[in-house]
Amino acid sequence: MSIEKITSAIIEEAQTECEQIMNAANIKGKSVVNELEKRIKIEIDAYVKDAAEERERIISRRKSVADIDSKKIVLAKKQELINRCFDNAVEFIISMDEEKYVEFLADAGKASGLIEGTLIFNEKEKNSIGKRVVDMMNQKVPGGKFTLSDETKNLRGGYMLQKDQIYINNSVEAMMDEKRRELMGDVALILFPEEK
């Protein structure tokens, strides 16, 4: 055989073997690519599912926070309305008929349990009704020895009853604050009845 034929046979054999190797590599490459595509799809699906679940958790948390915030806002508004009711009650008491108001303040002094002391009003009430309240308390309390102070306090209405170092706050706002603690629940039920 001639060298050319031998060379040609070797080249032909090498080309055939090269084609077989290339075909095998293509088949293996396609198989690897297909396998990678499957794994990528599985991972992408898992990430998409996790992201959707996380999104739902975030939405749920934010909705819960929004619900809590809205309840706080509603509660604050209700509290504001309740406080306004008690503030209006203070104004109602202060502006009631003068005779009834004087008697109301004298009864508050009688309820203190003291039989003597000094009443300290705000400037306006000291001049308008102070003496009458003192006189009525002295009538209502057996052995009463109450006096009107020259001193004044910054009160909306009512007075401070002083006996030595003891001060009893009979201001209308203090009496209302005391009632506020007792009646807060009842007032809330009246203003905001529970829905059925």
Side-chain angles (χ1 to χ4, degrees):
M1 226 196 226
S2 73
I3 286 201
E4 286 178 7
K5 282 190 179 183
I6 293 175
T7 305
S8 181
I10 290 174
I11 289 173
E12 223 175 273
E13 192 179 311
Q15 280 180 338
T16 304
E17 194 175 325
C18 181
E19 284 177 14
Q20 289 173 350
I21 290 172
M22 288 297 286
N23 286 339
N26 277 339
I27 291 170
K28 181 144 181 139
K30 284 181 182 175
S31 172
V32 168
V33 167
N34 285 340
E35 188 60 35
L36 284 174
E37 285 176 346
K38 285 179 190 174
R39 284 182 27 204
I40 288 170
K41 184 176 180 341
I42 289 170
E43 287 187 27
I44 287 173
D45 289 346
Y47 285 131
V48 167
K49 182 181 176 201
D50 288 348
E53 289 172 358
E54 182 63 19
R55 181 187 63 153
E56 290 304 316
R57 282 193 293 272
I58 289 170
I59 289 171
S60 177
R61 280 193 302 263
R62 289 194 177 154
K63 185 177 183 295
S64 294
V65 168
D67 287 346
I68 290 169
D69 287 346
S70 69
K71 286 178 183 174
K72 285 180 184 177
I73 290 168
V74 168
L75 185 61
K77 283 296 178 189
K78 285 181 177 181
Q79 187 65 46
E80 182 182 316
L81 290 172
I82 291 169
N83 288 338
R84 195 177 310 156
C85 286
F86 283 102
D87 287 344
N88 289 342
V90 168
E91 290 306 316
F92 174 80
I93 291 170
I94 292 170
S95 64
M96 74 166 75
D97 174 72
E98 197 169 277
E99 287 304 313
K100 288 182 181 177
Y101 184 51
V102 168
E103 188 166 350
F104 170 80
L105 293 177
D107 287 341
K110 181 181 177 184
S112 71
L114 296 178
I115 59 169
E116 63 180 287
T118 304
L119 280 68
I120 307 168
F121 287 87
N122 65 31
E123 186 71 36
K124 178 184 172 206
E125 289 188 355
K126 175 187 156 207
N127 295 326
S128 63
I129 61 168
K131 176 108 174 69
R132 289 172 41 212
V133 173
V134 168
D135 291 344
M136 188 173 285
M137 281 177 62
N138 285 329
Q139 289 173 4
K140 287 182 174 254
V141 177
K145 296 177 188 167
F146 296 99
T147 60
L148 181 62
S149 175
D150 290 331
E151 181 185 355
T152 59
K153 293 269 185 196
N154 185 17
L155 308 169
R156 286 173 68 187
Y159 56 89
M160 299 288 290
L161 175 55
Q162 179 187 3
K163 167 84 168 78
D164 300 321
Q165 298 303 314
I166 299 170
Y167 282 87
I168 296 176
N169 191 344
N170 277 343
S171 66
V172 175
E173 55 265 38
M175 289 187 268
M176 192 53 62
D177 281 343
E178 188 176 316
K179 288 295 179 189
R180 179 188 315 249
R181 287 187 284 280
E182 291 174 31
L183 301 174
M184 181 74 79
D186 294 336
V187 171
L189 283 175
I190 291 168
L191 292 176
F192 314 107
E194 294 182 23
E195 294 178 11
K196 294 178 182 178

PDB file of all heavy atoms in Angstrom, residues 141-165:
ATOM      1  N   VAL A 141     -72.849  71.041 108.535  1.00  0.00           N
ATOM      2  CA  VAL A 141     -71.953  70.225 109.367  1.00  0.00           C
ATOM      3  C   VAL A 141     -72.150  70.646 110.827  1.00  0.00           C
ATOM      4  O   VAL A 141     -71.870  71.798 111.183  1.00  0.00           O
ATOM      5  CB  VAL A 141     -70.476  70.420 108.947  1.00  0.00           C
ATOM      6  CG1 VAL A 141     -69.555  69.635 109.871  1.00  0.00           C
ATOM      7  CG2 VAL A 141     -70.266  70.011 107.499  1.00  0.00           C
ATOM      8  N   PRO A 142     -72.635  69.724 111.668  1.00  0.00           N
ATOM      9  CA  PRO A 142     -72.812  70.070 113.091  1.00  0.00           C
ATOM     10  C   PRO A 142     -71.475  70.521 113.687  1.00  0.00           C
ATOM     11  O   PRO A 142     -70.465  69.834 113.581  1.00  0.00           O
ATOM     12  CB  PRO A 142     -73.287  68.762 113.730  1.00  0.00           C
ATOM     13  CG  PRO A 142     -73.851  67.956 112.585  1.00  0.00           C
ATOM     14  CD  PRO A 142     -73.074  68.362 111.380  1.00  0.00           C
ATOM     15  N   GLY A 143     -71.476  71.705 114.286  1.00  0.00           N
ATOM     16  CA  GLY A 143     -70.254  72.266 114.882  1.00  0.00           C
ATOM     17  C   GLY A 143     -69.278  72.777 113.848  1.00  0.00           C
ATOM     18  O   GLY A 143     -68.100  72.960 114.140  1.00  0.00           O
ATOM     19  N   GLY A 144     -69.752  72.997 112.622  1.00  0.00           N
ATOM     20  CA  GLY A 144     -68.880  73.426 111.525  1.00  0.00           C
ATOM     21  C   GLY A 144     -68.233  74.773 111.782  1.00  0.00           C
ATOM     22  O   GLY A 144     -68.886  75.714 112.216  1.00  0.00           O
ATOM     23  N   LYS A 145     -66.930  74.855 111.529  1.00  0.00           N
ATOM     24  CA  LYS A 145     -66.176  76.099 111.712  1.00  0.00           C
ATOM     25  C   LYS A 145     -65.312  76.319 110.467  1.00  0.00           C
ATOM     26  O   LYS A 145     -64.089  76.298 110.527  1.00  0.00           O
ATOM     27  CB  LYS A 145     -65.281  76.018 112.946  1.00  0.00           C
ATOM     28  CG  LYS A 145     -66.048  75.877 114.242  1.00  0.00           C
ATOM     29  CD  LYS A 145     -65.092  75.731 115.403  1.00  0.00           C
ATOM     30  CE  LYS A 145     -65.875  75.396 116.661  1.00  0.00           C
ATOM     31  NZ  LYS A 145     -64.997  74.934 117.737  1.00  0.00           N
ATOM     32  N   PHE A 146     -65.965  76.504 109.365  1.00  0.00           N
ATOM     33  CA  PHE A 146     -65.251  76.700 108.102  1.00  0.00           C
ATOM     34  C   PHE A 146     -65.096  78.184 107.834  1.00  0.00           C
ATOM     35  O   PHE A 146     -65.955  78.987 108.205  1.00  0.00           O
ATOM     36  CB  PHE A 146     -66.002  76.021 106.949  1.00  0.00           C
ATOM     37  CG  PHE A 146     -66.080  74.523 107.107  1.00  0.00           C
ATOM     38  CD1 PHE A 146     -67.230  73.930 107.619  1.00  0.00           C
ATOM     39  CD2 PHE A 146     -65.014  73.722 106.764  1.00  0.00           C
ATOM     40  CE1 PHE A 146     -67.303  72.552 107.775  1.00  0.00           C
ATOM     41  CE2 PHE A 146     -65.077  72.340 106.920  1.00  0.00           C
ATOM     42  CZ  PHE A 146     -66.230  71.755 107.427  1.00  0.00           C
ATOM     43  N   THR A 147     -63.984  78.533 107.193  1.00  0.00           N
ATOM     44  CA  THR A 147     -63.728  79.933 106.857  1.00  0.00           C
ATOM     45  C   THR A 147     -63.313  80.045 105.396  1.00  0.00           C
ATOM     46  O   THR A 147     -62.901  79.066 104.780  1.00  0.00           O
ATOM     47  CB  THR A 147     -62.599  80.523 107.740  1.00  0.00           C
ATOM     48  OG1 THR A 147     -61.409  79.753 107.526  1.00  0.00           O
ATOM     49  CG2 THR A 147     -62.968  80.520 109.206  1.00  0.00           C
ATOM     50  N   LEU A 148     -63.411  81.258 104.872  1.00  0.00           N
ATOM     51  CA  LEU A 148     -63.024  81.541 103.488  1.00  0.00           C
ATOM     52  C   LEU A 148     -61.612  82.103 103.489  1.00  0.00           C
ATOM     53  O   LEU A 148     -61.315  83.058 104.224  1.00  0.00           O
ATOM     54  CB  LEU A 148     -64.004  82.547 102.874  1.00  0.00           C
ATOM     55  CG  LEU A 148     -63.763  82.954 101.421  1.00  0.00           C
ATOM     56  CD1 LEU A 148     -63.869  81.759 100.483  1.00  0.00           C
ATOM     57  CD2 LEU A 148     -64.760  84.032 101.005  1.00  0.00           C
ATOM     58  N   SER A 149     -60.746  81.514 102.669  1.00  0.00           N
ATOM     59  CA  SER A 149     -59.361  81.970 102.585  1.00  0.00           C
ATOM     60  C   SER A 149     -59.247  83.197 101.684  1.00  0.00           C
ATOM     61  O   SER A 149     -60.011  83.358 100.736  1.00  0.00           O
ATOM     62  CB  SER A 149     -58.486  80.842 102.024  1.00  0.00           C
ATOM     63  OG  SER A 149     -57.166  81.291 101.818  1.00  0.00           O
ATOM     64  N   ASP A 150     -58.280  84.052 102.010  1.00  0.00           N
ATOM     65  CA  ASP A 150     -57.959  85.170 101.116  1.00  0.00           C
ATOM     66  C   ASP A 150     -57.144  84.670  99.922  1.00  0.00           C
ATOM     67  O   ASP A 150     -57.112  85.314  98.878  1.00  0.00           O
ATOM     68  CB  ASP A 150     -57.153  86.245 101.866  1.00  0.00           C
ATOM     69  CG  ASP A 150     -58.015  86.971 102.890  1.00  0.00           C
ATOM     70  OD1 ASP A 150     -59.232  87.070 102.660  1.00  0.00           O
ATOM     71  OD2 ASP A 150     -57.464  87.426 103.910  1.00  0.00           O
ATOM     72  N   GLU A 151     -56.500  83.527 100.093  1.00  0.00           N
ATOM     73  CA  GLU A 151     -55.688  82.919  99.027  1.00  0.00           C
ATOM     74  C   GLU A 151     -56.611  82.378  97.932  1.00  0.00           C
ATOM     75  O   GLU A 151     -57.758  82.018  98.191  1.00  0.00           O
ATOM     76  CB  GLU A 151     -54.862  81.779  99.636  1.00  0.00           C
ATOM     77  CG  GLU A 151     -53.959  81.056  98.679  1.00  0.00           C
ATOM     78  CD  GLU A 151     -53.268  79.852  99.318  1.00  0.00           C
ATOM     79  OE1 GLU A 151     -53.417  79.623 100.545  1.00  0.00           O
ATOM     80  OE2 GLU A 151     -52.591  79.120  98.570  1.00  0.00           O
ATOM     81  N   THR A 152     -56.105  82.309  96.700  1.00  0.00           N
ATOM     82  CA  THR A 152     -56.864  81.685  95.612  1.00  0.00           C
ATOM     83  C   THR A 152     -55.995  80.636  94.936  1.00  0.00           C
ATOM     84  O   THR A 152     -54.769  80.660  95.047  1.00  0.00           O
ATOM     85  CB  THR A 152     -57.310  82.721  94.557  1.00  0.00           C
ATOM     86  OG1 THR A 152     -56.164  83.358  94.028  1.00  0.00           O
ATOM     87  CG2 THR A 152     -58.274  83.734  95.148  1.00  0.00           C
ATOM     88  N   LYS A 153     -56.644  79.723  94.248  1.00  0.00           N
ATOM     89  CA  LYS A 153     -55.961  78.657  93.500  1.00  0.00           C
ATOM     90  C   LYS A 153     -56.449  78.683  92.063  1.00  0.00           C
ATOM     91  O   LYS A 153     -57.524  79.182  91.762  1.00  0.00           O
ATOM     92  CB  LYS A 153     -56.281  77.275  94.101  1.00  0.00           C
ATOM     93  CG  LYS A 153     -55.727  77.036  95.466  1.00  0.00           C
ATOM     94  CD  LYS A 153     -54.371  76.419  95.367  1.00  0.00           C
ATOM     95  CE  LYS A 153     -53.880  76.061  96.764  1.00  0.00           C
ATOM     96  NZ  LYS A 153     -52.476  75.815  96.809  1.00  0.00           N
ATOM     97  N   ASN A 154     -55.655  78.094  91.200  1.00  0.00           N
ATOM     98  CA  ASN A 154     -56.019  77.987  89.784  1.00  0.00           C
ATOM     99  C   ASN A 154     -56.894  76.746  89.596  1.00  0.00           C
ATOM    100  O   ASN A 154     -56.400  75.669  89.283  1.00  0.00           O
ATOM    101  CB  ASN A 154     -54.757  77.921  88.922  1.00  0.00           C
ATOM    102  CG  ASN A 154     -55.070  77.935  87.447  1.00  0.00           C
ATOM    103  OD1 ASN A 154     -56.172  78.299  87.039  1.00  0.00           O
ATOM    104  ND2 ASN A 154     -54.119  77.518  86.640  1.00  0.00           N
ATOM    105  N   LEU A 155     -58.179  76.900  89.830  1.00  0.00           N
ATOM    106  CA  LEU A 155     -59.147  75.806  89.708  1.00  0.00           C
ATOM    107  C   LEU A 155     -60.210  76.213  88.706  1.00  0.00           C
ATOM    108  O   LEU A 155     -60.532  77.394  88.590  1.00  0.00           O
ATOM    109  CB  LEU A 155     -59.813  75.531  91.066  1.00  0.00           C
ATOM    110  CG  LEU A 155     -58.904  75.312  92.268  1.00  0.00           C
ATOM    111  CD1 LEU A 155     -59.723  75.332  93.551  1.00  0.00           C
ATOM    112  CD2 LEU A 155     -58.159  73.994  92.135  1.00  0.00           C
ATOM    113  N   ARG A 156     -60.788  75.232  88.029  1.00  0.00           N
ATOM    114  CA  ARG A 156     -61.896  75.566  87.117  1.00  0.00           C
ATOM    115  C   ARG A 156     -63.150  75.874  87.920  1.00  0.00           C
ATOM    116  O   ARG A 156     -63.960  76.711  87.534  1.00  0.00           O
ATOM    117  CB  ARG A 156     -62.140  74.417  86.142  1.00  0.00           C
ATOM    118  CG  ARG A 156     -61.059  74.343  85.074  1.00  0.00           C
ATOM    119  CD  ARG A 156     -61.156  73.128  84.197  1.00  0.00           C
ATOM    120  NE  ARG A 156     -62.327  73.141  83.337  1.00  0.00           N
ATOM    121  CZ  ARG A 156     -62.688  72.119  82.587  1.00  0.00           C
ATOM    122  NH1 ARG A 156     -61.972  71.018  82.562  1.00  0.00           N
ATOM    123  NH2 ARG A 156     -63.762  72.190  81.834  1.00  0.00           N
ATOM    124  N   GLY A 157     -63.327  75.159  88.989  1.00  0.00           N
ATOM    125  CA  GLY A 157     -64.483  75.363  89.848  1.00  0.00           C
ATOM    126  C   GLY A 157     -64.291  74.583  91.130  1.00  0.00           C
ATOM    127  O   GLY A 157     -63.459  73.692  91.214  1.00  0.00           O
ATOM    128  N   GLY A 158     -65.063  74.940  92.167  1.00  0.00           N
ATOM    129  CA  GLY A 158     -64.925  74.252  93.444  1.00  0.00           C
ATOM    130  C   GLY A 158     -63.833  74.888  94.288  1.00  0.00           C
ATOM    131  O   GLY A 158     -63.483  76.053  94.093  1.00  0.00           O
ATOM    132  N   TYR A 159     -63.265  74.100  95.219  1.00  0.00           N
ATOM    133  CA  TYR A 159     -62.305  74.675  96.164  1.00  0.00           C
ATOM    134  C   TYR A 159     -61.381  73.599  96.713  1.00  0.00           C
ATOM    135  O   TYR A 159     -61.620  72.405  96.561  1.00  0.00           O
ATOM    136  CB  TYR A 159     -63.053  75.346  97.328  1.00  0.00           C
ATOM    137  CG  TYR A 159     -63.993  74.402  98.030  1.00  0.00           C
ATOM    138  CD1 TYR A 159     -63.567  73.630  99.096  1.00  0.00           C
ATOM    139  CD2 TYR A 159     -65.315  74.260  97.605  1.00  0.00           C
ATOM    140  CE1 TYR A 159     -64.425  72.745  99.732  1.00  0.00           C
ATOM    141  CE2 TYR A 159     -66.184  73.385  98.228  1.00  0.00           C
ATOM    142  CZ  TYR A 159     -65.734  72.630  99.288  1.00  0.00           C
ATOM    143  OH  TYR A 159     -66.576  71.747  99.902  1.00  0.00           O
ATOM    144  N   MET A 160     -60.328  74.059  97.359  1.00  0.00           N
ATOM    145  CA  MET A 160     -59.448  73.197  98.147  1.00  0.00           C
ATOM    146  C   MET A 160     -59.837  73.433  99.603  1.00  0.00           C
ATOM    147  O   MET A 160     -59.958  74.588 100.031  1.00  0.00           O
ATOM    148  CB  MET A 160     -57.974  73.560  97.949  1.00  0.00           C
ATOM    149  CG  MET A 160     -57.470  73.425  96.530  1.00  0.00           C
ATOM    150  SD  MET A 160     -57.298  71.735  95.995  1.00  0.00           S
ATOM    151  CE  MET A 160     -55.929  71.180  96.968  1.00  0.00           C
ATOM    152  N   LEU A 161     -60.036  72.359 100.359  1.00  0.00           N
ATOM    153  CA  LEU A 161     -60.364  72.460 101.770  1.00  0.00           C
ATOM    154  C   LEU A 161     -59.091  72.160 102.556  1.00  0.00           C
ATOM    155  O   LEU A 161     -58.535  71.067 102.449  1.00  0.00           O
ATOM    156  CB  LEU A 161     -61.480  71.473 102.126  1.00  0.00           C
ATOM    157  CG  LEU A 161     -61.880  71.357 103.595  1.00  0.00           C
ATOM    158  CD1 LEU A 161     -62.261  72.714 104.179  1.00  0.00           C
ATOM    159  CD2 LEU A 161     -63.032  70.372 103.745  1.00  0.00           C
ATOM    160  N   GLN A 162     -58.615  73.154 103.315  1.00  0.00           N
ATOM    161  CA  GLN A 162     -57.357  73.001 104.048  1.00  0.00           C
ATOM    162  C   GLN A 162     -57.629  72.976 105.539  1.00  0.00           C
ATOM    163  O   GLN A 162     -58.323  73.833 106.083  1.00  0.00           O
ATOM    164  CB  GLN A 162     -56.400  74.151 103.725  1.00  0.00           C
ATOM    165  CG  GLN A 162     -55.104  74.049 104.475  1.00  0.00           C
ATOM    166  CD  GLN A 162     -54.216  75.262 104.299  1.00  0.00           C
ATOM    167  OE1 GLN A 162     -54.588  76.230 103.652  1.00  0.00           O
ATOM    168  NE2 GLN A 162     -53.044  75.228 104.897  1.00  0.00           N
ATOM    169  N   LYS A 163     -57.041  71.970 106.194  1.00  0.00           N
ATOM    170  CA  LYS A 163     -57.070  71.872 107.666  1.00  0.00           C
ATOM    171  C   LYS A 163     -55.642  71.550 108.076  1.00  0.00           C
ATOM    172  O   LYS A 163     -55.155  70.446 107.829  1.00  0.00           O
ATOM    173  CB  LYS A 163     -58.041  70.776 108.108  1.00  0.00           C
ATOM    174  CG  LYS A 163     -57.915  70.377 109.560  1.00  0.00           C
ATOM    175  CD  LYS A 163     -58.715  71.300 110.456  1.00  0.00           C
ATOM    176  CE  LYS A 163     -58.836  70.776 111.856  1.00  0.00           C
ATOM    177  NZ  LYS A 163     -57.710  70.933 112.720  1.00  0.00           N
ATOM    178  N   ASP A 164     -54.939  72.531 108.606  1.00  0.00           N
ATOM    179  CA  ASP A 164     -53.519  72.404 108.941  1.00  0.00           C
ATOM    180  C   ASP A 164     -52.739  71.990 107.691  1.00  0.00           C
ATOM    181  O   ASP A 164     -52.755  72.705 106.707  1.00  0.00           O
ATOM    182  CB  ASP A 164     -53.316  71.412 110.107  1.00  0.00           C
ATOM    183  CG  ASP A 164     -54.057  71.867 111.373  1.00  0.00           C
ATOM    184  OD1 ASP A 164     -54.057  73.085 111.644  1.00  0.00           O
ATOM    185  OD2 ASP A 164     -54.623  71.008 112.067  1.00  0.00           O
ATOM    186  N   GLN A 165     -52.097  70.822 107.732  1.00  0.00           N
ATOM    187  CA  GLN A 165     -51.309  70.358 106.578  1.00  0.00           C
ATOM    188  C   GLN A 165     -52.114  69.435 105.653  1.00  0.00           C
ATOM    189  O   GLN A 165     -51.595  68.894 104.693  1.00  0.00           O
ATOM    190  CB  GLN A 165     -50.047  69.615 107.055  1.00  0.00           C
ATOM    191  CG  GLN A 165     -49.102  70.481 107.865  1.00  0.00           C
ATOM    192  CD  GLN A 165     -48.646  71.721 107.108  1.00  0.00           C
ATOM    193  OE1 GLN A 165     -48.274  71.633 105.946  1.00  0.00           O
ATOM    194  NE2 GLN A 165     -48.718  72.875 107.753  1.00  0.00           N
TER     195      GLN A 165
END
